Amino acid sequence: MANQRVFTLSQISQHKSNKNCWLVINGRVLDVTKFLEEHPGGEEVILEVAGKDATKEFDAIGHSKAAQSLVKKYQVGVLEGATVEKVDDDNDVVVEKESKRTEMSAFVIKDDTSSKTVKFLEFFVPVIFACIYFGYKVITVGDTVVY
């Protein structure tokens, strides 16, 4: 396990089809292409998280010990920044270390003024047209000539 291949998330994201399906669980990079048809929950469940870190989804389901042991079977490497530590002869643990890179996070604040404007126009434009129509009818009724 000491000579594991190291992959980045961008490399893993290129493997997200049912013909070539990779994902990350607890820092382990898995090629689960052959497992798609065997997965009890169906291949769609895995394809939703293909090419991504699926640790949260995997842990949230509460997989059995047998399912957790399958992770090692399909492991092809580790995620960049994670290391494998040997616990005993049968078990090893992947520990994700903090990345030395500092990444910028961004927050997007949605400006609702455009949606308020659109709602305003959607309500008042038909009202204005209705007023113009009825005003035109009232004005033109007085102009009718009776013979």
Side-chain angles (χ1 to χ4, degrees), residues 13-62:
S13 68
Q14 296 171 4
H15 304 273
K16 54 185 174 185
S17 71
N18 60 349
K19 305 252 187 265
N20 187 6
C21 184
W22 289 18
L23 52 86
V24 177
I25 297 177
N26 294 321
R28 299 175 191 271
V29 178
L30 312 177
D31 181 354
V32 292
T33 310
K34 294 178 182 175
F35 181 67
L36 288 175
E37 291 179 9
E38 300 170 20
H39 188 257
E43 69 179 41
E44 298 83 22
V45 177
I46 295 178
L47 288 173
E48 286 180 20
V49 292
K52 302 175 188 172
D53 187 341
T55 303
K56 288 180 185 176
E57 291 83 355
F58 184 81
D59 291 342
I61 298 300

Side-chain angles (χ1 to χ4, degrees), residues 1-9 11-12 15 21-32 70-85 92-96:
M1 284 271 158
N3 295 331
Q4 284 290 325
R5 290 184 57 194
V6 177
F7 297 97
T8 64
L9 272 177
Q11 290 172 315
I12 297 162
H15 304 273
C21 184
W22 289 18
L23 52 86
V24 177
I25 297 177
N26 294 321
R28 299 175 191 271
V29 178
L30 312 177
D31 181 354
V32 292
L70 281 176
V71 170
K72 286 184 186 178
K73 177 181 177 182
Y74 294 103
Q75 183 174 353
V76 293
V78 294
L79 184 63
E80 181 180 52
T83 57
V84 178
E85 294 179 359
D92 54 1
V93 176
V94 176
V95 179
E96 292 187 53

